Amino acid sequence: MLASSVFKSSRWFLFVNESWRIATLWFAGVLLFMSFRVFFLVYFHNRITASLDVDTVLNALKTGFAFDSAASGVCFSIPFLLNCILQPLRLGHWVRVVRILTAKLFFAVAILLCITSITYITEYGSQFNYFMFEGLHDDQQAIALTAIKQYQPWGSLLSLLLLLAVAFKLCHIIDKQSNGFLERIFTNCKWKRTFLIVLIVVLFVCAIRGSFESRPATRKWSAVTHDPFLNNLVINPFRSFVYAIKDYSELQNHGLEGANPYLKNNVTIAQDVLAGLEQHTSEPLLAAPSQVFFIVMESYDSWPLQHKYASLNLTNELKSLASKGIYLDSVLPAASSTMNSLSSLLSGIPYAGVNMSLIGPQQPASKLSLFNQLEQLGYTSQFFYGGLLSWQNVGQYVLSQGADKVYSATDAGGKGSAGVWGIDDGQLFDLVAEKTQAKSFNVIMSGSYHGPFNLDLTQYDYPFKSAADYPAAIQELETQLLDPYVLGHLWYSDKMLGSFVRKMQQRYPDALFIITGDHYSRRYLHPRPNLYELTHVPLVIYGNGVKSSMLNAQKIASHMDIAPTLLNLIAPANTAFYSVGQSLFSPTAERTVFGFQTVRNNKQLWRGDLSALYEYYAVNSLDKIQLMPTQTQAFKEIDAETEQAYNQYMAQAWHLLTQGKK
């Protein structure tokens, strides 16, 4: 048997020994990701809607292993490559230093992302995506306070510290392990050494590719089941974070002078985009009102207004207005976040993935600006927000789009009982009532149905103190139900809305009200909402002379249709205006509408990255009546023509935002 000193002096043996340590750390990383994936499957099992068998779950875990291997392998490729280079030069001590630092950094980042992903999935229903970086432009202090108050992350923090301690201890054990069993493969035979080295390199390459097959582990091939939520868990938090950075950078880094990312696969746009967007009004359907109130309700989505949830009485005020005016429940929001949807509604430019509130103030107002087009009709434009104007640069943005006056929480004494994001909706609507001027167009952005949900609801006689107070049919659902206290904030916001409309209508009998939600709320009564409930917002038009017979309630629409519809209601005949959308009074039977990463026609709905991962829903009117889905829908890929139309729409939006004034 060879002496121990021989092993310690053999560069080949030291290479193999160090490779084994790196491989052990790689396996520990894979085990970490796989453990969290299994935890997600158990913890969020209520979100899985498809019927799963053992083979389906195993296939998801197998594919997830490929992503775990690639994520761990890429990180540990640094010490491995240094091992290949420095070990023959007898500089192995540097390999050890880099390996220890890499391992500790990797486990620190991976554990942090896995722990954080629990809260992110709870809030947004998916792992990390581009949207998380919108927080860079948000009120970060308010976000932090909301997360602390709403989620009480002390358990997560403790778990983070415990897992870090275990991971760092593991790094120490692996570093000190003698690995004596490796001495058995020690050989002076050059061809055996060559074979082992080739085997190690091949295994390393396969580890970082995540596959022995011809194609590596990539997002495009991760949708291996029929359940969208389970497919989302196939990619681990580390890799999803990397994809989020990539997606965000792809959209944001082009800048004002960059290339249009949607101009691909034969997608083109006209040289003069604005010329193709000019429209003219027909005869007005209403006499011009003295006041127009455009109310954008925070997280006010369509599901609470469905018949199957009527017994909850959460949105009775809006239902009452809807019954007396125009009500559409098949409306796609421009985006899944407040500022991006609001930016689109006010500027008339669809959200295409780039932060509009930062780019807008750098340029003249959009030709499609709703403020400017209403001002041409003689209205003074005002904007009201219950938070601070520094949030998402909203103050500068609305001014850049032509608003005459801007009001915020500061104008109503600062903070309300919620304390984090600004004043309560009751205070906000009181501020609007105080500041309303003669013949004004007033945009109101509410905020009470937003975390951390700490309003005192007892003073408003909210009926649900616990889930036991829910109606019997709701309680019979064999699933976890949303905390009634959270739903109480929706109830409160609706209550304040109804009170405001009654007050303004009494003061201004001819006032016109347009009410919609900024985006879907991400909060649902049970954890298995269908894709319709996950994507739509309501639209209500109410006022003197507005009748439900004016529009078919089943008509599909998008946020971009609100401006031309409003103009066709009240503007003189043949008034010129610019719009990407179309008046809902236009006679169209079949139509396809778009939101960011969302496509809807009369019968089908898609959401997601249309070139890779997305969800599908066949429109079913029974889903608005049945509390729980009775069967799993078959998946259908988006057709090439519809996908091209979506890219055409987004390419045009991108051009209007970045190049539209040139």
Side-chain angles (χ1 to χ4, degrees):
M1 193 174 188
L2 296 173
S4 177
S5 60
V6 175
F7 298 118
K8 292 180 180 179
S9 63
S10 170
R11 286 174 288 180
W12 178 81
F13 181 77
L14 291 173
F15 168 79
V16 173
N17 197 22
E18 188 64 37
S19 296
W20 179 261
R21 290 192 173 100
I22 295 170
T24 305
L25 290 168
W26 163 84
F27 179 75
V30 171
L31 186 61
L32 171 71
F33 290 134
M34 186 61 71
S35 298
F36 267 94
R37 182 176 293 105
V38 173
F39 171 79
F40 292 155
L41 285 173
V42 175
Y43 188 76
F44 295 109
H45 71 278
N46 282 334
R47 294 176 181 257
I48 298 175
T49 56
S51 299
L52 304 179
D53 54 27
V54 174
D55 289 340
T56 302
V57 175
L58 290 178
N59 191 23
L61 295 178
K62 174 188 172 184
T63 309
F65 173 82
F67 283 95
D68 300 343
S69 173
S72 188
V74 167
C75 290
F76 287 109
S77 65
I78 300 172
F80 179 80
L81 293 174
L82 287 177
N83 190 35
C84 296
I85 297 171
L86 299 182
Q87 209 65 253
L89 302 176
R90 298 192 182 280
L91 297 174
H93 61 286
W94 288 111
V95 179
R96 174 179 176 269
V97 171
V98 172
R99 186 226 323 139
I100 293 173
L101 290 175
T102 301
K104 289 185 175 181
L105 180 60
F106 167 76
F107 283 116
V109 172
I111 292 172
L112 177 62
L113 290 175
C114 287
I115 293 290
T116 306
S117 190
I118 299 173
T119 301
Y120 197 85
I121 294 173
T122 300
E123 177 70 15
Y124 298 106
S126 72
Q127 293 202 73
F128 301 122
N129 50 31
Y130 80 97
F131 176 67
M132 65 183 298
F133 295 104
E134 290 292 333
L136 297 174
H137 313 299
D138 218 324
D139 187 335
Q140 296 176 19
Q141 180 181 1
I143 291 176
L145 290 173
T146 298
I148 291 172
K149 292 184 179 182
Q150 185 172 337
Y151 291 105
Q152 301 291 319
W154 315 122
S156 297
L157 183 60
L158 179 60
S159 300
L160 174 65
L161 295 176
L162 288 175
L163 287 175
L164 284 177
V166 172
F168 287 5
K169 180 65 176 179
L170 179 65
C171 292
H172 177 76
I173 292 174
I174 292 173
D175 182 55
K176 298 302 181 183
Q177 199 79 20
S178 62
N179 299 328
F181 69 94
L182 292 177
E183 297 177 6
R184 299 174 188 173
I185 65 173
F186 185 85
T187 176
N188 287 315
C189 178
K190 291 185 178 180
W191 73 265
K192 290 182 179 179
R193 289 187 174 186
T194 302
F195 172 77
L196 283 171
I197 290 174
V198 171
L199 178 62
I200 291 171
V201 172
V202 169
L203 291 175
F204 161 73
V205 172
C206 291
I208 63 175
R209 294 179 75 252
S211 172
F212 287 96
E213 301 175 0
S214 59
R215 66 189 188 196
T218 60
R219 178 168 47 177
K220 184 177 181 179
W221 309 109
S222 64
V224 294
T225 78
H226 294 294
D227 188 86
F229 183 75
L230 180 55
N231 287 337
N232 187 260
L233 298 182
V234 167
I235 303 176
N236 57 61
F238 189 96
R239 193 71 175 266
S240 68
F241 183 76
V242 173
Y243 282 133
I245 296 173
K246 178 182 177 182
D247 293 344
Y248 184 76
S249 298
E250 182 179 350
L251 293 170
Q252 303 294 328
N253 288 345
H254 292 273
L256 291 175
E257 304 298 331
N260 191 323
Y262 296 99
L263 292 178
K264 54 187 177 181
N265 300 328
N266 299 319
V267 173
T268 59
I269 55 176
Q271 288 187 344
D272 188 357
V273 174
L274 284 172
L277 299 178
E278 185 175 359
Q279 303 182 39
H280 292 81
T281 60
S282 55
E283 289 290 335
L285 299 176
L286 300 176
S290 61
Q291 304 292 334
V292 178
F293 296 98
F294 184 14
I295 307 171
V296 184
M297 301 293 289
E298 170 67 49
S299 300
Y300 206 108
D301 45 13
S302 282
W303 75 260
L305 285 83
Q306 294 182 31
H307 176 74
K308 61 184 177 181
Y309 301 119
S311 61
L312 290 169
N313 296 308
L314 294 171
T315 53
N316 286 350
E317 294 290 351
L318 187 61
K319 285 180 183 178
S320 175
L321 299 177
S323 67
K324 303 169 187 174
I326 293 171
Y327 169 53
L328 300 182
D329 64 355
S330 296
V331 181
L332 285 185
S336 60
S337 62
T338 300
M339 192 61 219
N340 293 326
S341 284
L342 185 64
S343 298
S344 294
L345 287 166
L346 299 184
S347 68
I349 301 175
Y351 175 65
V354 65
N355 191 292
M356 300 170 71
S357 63
L358 296 182
I359 291 181
Q362 302 178 37
Q363 306 180 83
S366 163
K367 288 283 188 180
L368 293 75
S369 164
L370 186 54
F371 285 129
N372 287 343
Q373 300 197 100
L374 265 292
E375 286 178 6
Q376 292 176 10
L377 302 181
Y379 290 92
T380 298
S381 58
Q382 302 188 121
F383 174 76
F384 298 86
Y385 171 54
L388 300 179
L389 296 179
S390 55
W391 168 78
Q392 290 273 15
N393 199 37
V394 66
Q396 290 298 318
Y397 181 75
V398 295
L399 288 172
S400 74
Q401 296 307 307
D404 294 321
K405 296 185 179 181
V406 178
Y407 299 96
S408 70
T410 304
D411 298 289
K415 296 182 178 180
S417 60
V420 173
W421 292 96
I423 57 177
D424 305 332
D425 282 358
Q427 296 168 280
L428 173 64
F429 285 126
D430 286 343
L431 175 65
V432 179
E434 177 189 342
K435 300 295 184 180
T436 299
Q437 299 184 13
K439 198 171 185 182
S440 61
F441 169 61
N442 305 279
V443 177
I444 307 163
M445 180 69 239
S446 81
S448 285
Y449 189 36
H450 191 293
F453 305 112
N454 55 0
L455 282 169
D456 178 11
L457 297 175
T458 58
Q459 60 180 309
Y460 302 107
D461 297 324
Y462 176 58
F464 303 136
K465 302 298 186 295
S466 69
D469 296 324
Y470 282 148
I474 301 296
Q475 293 186 49
E476 289 174 2
L477 293 174
E478 296 180 357
T479 185
Q480 182 180 357
L481 299 176
L482 183 62
D483 185 342
Y485 179 63
V486 173
L487 280 182
H489 289 70
L490 172 61
W491 177 89
Y492 164 81
S493 190
D494 179 78
K495 184 180 180 68
M496 296 300 105
L497 169 66
S499 176
F500 170 75
V501 171
R502 284 191 294 274
K503 180 189 294 185
M504 290 298 98
Q505 192 170 41
Q506 185 175 13
R507 186 186 300 178
Y508 308 104
D510 66 339
L512 180 66
F513 302 85
I514 301 97
I515 306 164
T516 189
D518 58 347
H519 56 80
Y520 44 92
S521 70
R522 298 186 285 269
R523 289 170 184 83
Y524 307 91
L525 182 64
H526 57 78
R528 295 179 59 188
N530 57 56
L531 190 57
Y532 165 82
E533 295 173 328
L534 289 168
T535 49
H536 287 67
V537 295
L539 172 61
V540 171
I541 303 175
Y542 171 77
N544 186 33
V546 179
K547 299 179 177 61
S548 59
S549 58
M550 289 179 170
L551 273 183
N552 182 349
Q554 304 305 313
K555 197 160 191 175
I556 64 171
S558 81
H559 267 168
M560 295 298 95
D561 299 327
I562 294 177
T565 300
L566 171 60
L567 290 169
N568 268 283
L569 263 177
I570 65 174
N574 207 35
T575 299
F577 68 94
Y578 295 93
S579 179
V580 170
Q582 69 174 45
S583 170
L584 294 175
F585 300 110
S586 301
T588 53
E590 295 291 330
R591 189 180 177 214
T592 299
V593 295
F594 308 101
F596 182 66
Q597 295 189 341
T598 317
V599 178
R600 166 78 199 268
N601 60 33
N602 289 53
K603 298 179 180 179
Q604 299 169 113
L605 168 67
W606 293 270
R607 181 181 73 164
D609 181 352
L610 302 182
S611 62
L613 288 176
Y614 56 91
E615 303 161 88
Y616 169 77
Y617 173 76
V619 176
N620 180 4
S621 59
L622 290 178
D623 284 342
K624 298 180 182 180
I625 302 172
Q626 300 167 335
L627 278 171
M628 297 292 282
T630 55
Q631 60 183 10
T632 303
Q633 291 192 346
F635 178 78
K636 181 177 180 180
E637 291 190 6
I638 193 168
D639 59 279
E641 182 180 356
T642 302
E643 183 178 358
Q644 176 131 350
Y646 170 81
N647 286 325
Q648 182 87 34
Y649 181 84
M650 288 298 165
Q652 178 178 256
W654 182 280
H655 180 85
L656 286 169
L657 176 65
T658 60
Q659 313 291 331
K661 287 78 177 181
K662 295 183 178 179

